[in-house]
């Protein structure tokens, strides 16, 4: 769980991602349900845009969005949806490339026979 400056609690699980807007106070993180024998707690990756903001010579002064949680389940479901909409979920690239190279070589040999 993570708490933002307005005491908002974001309950998250393994594989989830959350985004937190500009914080003027410290954000507190508490790992309350990890199996300490297996993992020993939680690992958080902090990714921010401070280098870009410094390069541009700007500073965040206004909170533009609310804390947002993206669950692992929802992210994986979206990836599956995209795969199914493009048809790439049922394509084995090794098999199709092997088939196309063998069919093109057989076409070449049949053309030379003619």
């Amino acid at each position: 769980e993570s708490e933002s400056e307005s005491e908002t609690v974001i309950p998250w699980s393994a594989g989830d991602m959350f985004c937190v807007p500009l914080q003027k106070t410290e954000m507190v993180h508490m790992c309350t349900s990890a199996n300490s024998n297996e993992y020993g707690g939680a690992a958080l990756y902090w990714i921010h845009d401070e280098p870009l903001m410094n390069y541009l010579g700007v500073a965040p002064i206004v909170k533009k969005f609310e804390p947002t949680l993206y669950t692992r389940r929802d992210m994986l479901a979206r990836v599956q949806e995209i795969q199914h909409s493009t048809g790439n979920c049922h394509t084995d690239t090794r098999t199709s490339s092997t088939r196309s190279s063998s069919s093109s070589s057989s076409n070449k040999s049949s053309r030379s026979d003619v």
Side-chain angles (χ1 to χ4, degrees):
E1 296 181 353
S2 296
E3 293 183 23
S4 69
E5 56 191 18
S6 64
E7 298 299 321
T8 300
V9 175
I10 303 170
W12 57 272
S13 298
D16 290 352
M17 178 178 74
F18 56 91
C19 299
V20 181
L22 168 69
Q23 297 292 303
K24 295 183 181 186
T25 60
E26 181 180 33
M27 188 170 78
V28 177
H29 170 264
M30 294 174 287
C31 182
T32 59
S33 63
N35 181 344
S36 60
N37 293 333
E38 187 175 351
Y39 300 111
L44 297 179
Y45 294 92
W46 181 35
I47 301 168
H48 58 89
D49 58 2
E50 183 179 18
L52 174 62
M53 303 291 276
N54 289 339
Y55 176 77
L56 296 173
V58 297
I61 55 172
V62 177
K63 182 177 172 180
K64 293 287 191 179
F65 61 93
E66 295 299 318
T68 306
L69 174 69
Y70 301 94
T71 65
R72 177 181 187 271
R73 185 192 76 229
D74 289 346
M75 288 187 287
L76 291 175
R78 182 65 180 133
V79 168
Q80 288 294 316
E81 183 181 315
I82 292 167
Q83 285 180 323
H84 286 284
S85 70
T86 62
N88 290 337
C89 60
H90 302 291
T91 304
D92 182 356
T93 56
R94 291 174 293 161
T95 306
S96 63
S97 65
T98 305
R99 272 189 254 142
S100 64
S101 66
S102 65
S103 66
S104 64
S105 63
S106 65
N107 287 342
K108 288 178 186 175
S109 63
S110 64
R111 287 182 188 153
S112 64
D113 292 341
V114 173

